[in-house]
Amino acid sequence: MSGPGPATRDIFLRPGEWYFGSGAVRLRTTLGSCVAIVLWHPRLKLGGMCHYMLPNRSDRGSQPLNGRYADEALELLLGEVRRSHTQPGDYEFKLFGGANMFPSGQRRPDDVPARNVAEALALMHEHGLPVKAQSLGGEGYRQLVFDLESGALWMRQGHEPAPHGTP
């Protein structure tokens, strides 16, 4: 992959962040137990990504939508889809992450990675959104780079600690 051109904006999404747009933008993130939902409209070259940490929160009340939670992050992205006068079914959806970050076979009692993966798949089914590609579960981090101009997505999966400076 060549480096971004002079007009390409690189945006690194941290846990709980999301982005939707078009043009010369590359979205980047590093995932462990978190999950990224990526969507792209191939004809309009419009898309986005979220990086959520947890499947949902028990009581949102009147609080605004928060990208840290799967259901709310997807709702934020779908809100942008509606504002762009497009339909969710016109987009390609891809799912990444939900890895066990503990040494071989050890699991946390709350098993957040498995819950994050299950929620991503359930949300896609609930909204009738076909998943074009996925890399979910397993062990180790995943680094993603998503080019909004071309729709190209690169993924690197590692089993050593995530590179310095990434969450």
Side-chain angles (χ1 to χ4, degrees):
M1 171 174 63
S2 63
T8 301
R9 275 181 44 209
D10 265 318
I11 298 173
F12 188 85
L13 297 179
R14 299 193 187 297
E17 295 181 338
W18 62 279
Y19 180 91
F20 185 88
S22 63
V25 175
R26 281 201 177 142
L27 302 176
R28 299 174 184 268
T29 199
T30 300
L31 304 161
S33 61
C34 295
V35 169
I37 299 172
V38 178
L39 66 154
W40 192 65
H41 194 297
R43 188 173 51 79
L44 298 178
K45 300 182 187 306
L46 180 67
M49 178 192 299
C50 69
H51 177 154
Y52 72 81
M53 300 166 56
L54 296 166
N56 50 47
R57 56 178 149 170
S58 56
D59 182 24
R60 189 176 122 213
S62 61
Q63 296 177 28
L65 293 172
N66 187 322
R68 286 181 254 176
Y69 305 98
D71 54 343
E72 297 178 42
L74 181 60
E75 189 54 44
L76 287 163
L77 288 172
L78 293 178
E80 292 300 315
V81 166
R82 288 187 290 275
R83 277 189 275 292
S84 69
H85 305 289
T86 58
Q87 299 299 315
D90 296 336
Y91 290 77
E92 296 175 351
F93 285 82
K94 298 177 182 178
L95 305 173
F96 301 91
N100 180 18
M101 298 307 293
F102 290 93
S104 188
Q106 293 179 1
R107 290 260 178 217
R108 291 173 34 177
D110 58 2
D111 205 356
V112 170
R115 290 177 43 229
N116 278 342
V117 167
E119 185 67 13
L121 295 170
L123 285 169
M124 295 296 108
H125 178 74
E126 176 184 324
H127 290 277
L129 305 171
V131 177
K132 182 174 182 177
Q134 65 184 34
S135 177
L136 297 167
E139 293 183 1
Y141 70 91
R142 289 172 174 88
Q143 291 180 311
L144 300 179
V145 178
F146 175 43
D147 186 304
L148 285 177
E149 216 163 23
S150 68
L153 190 140
W154 298 271
M155 183 193 81
R156 178 178 151 218
Q157 187 167 5
H159 295 284
E160 64 278 0
H164 182 70
T166 58

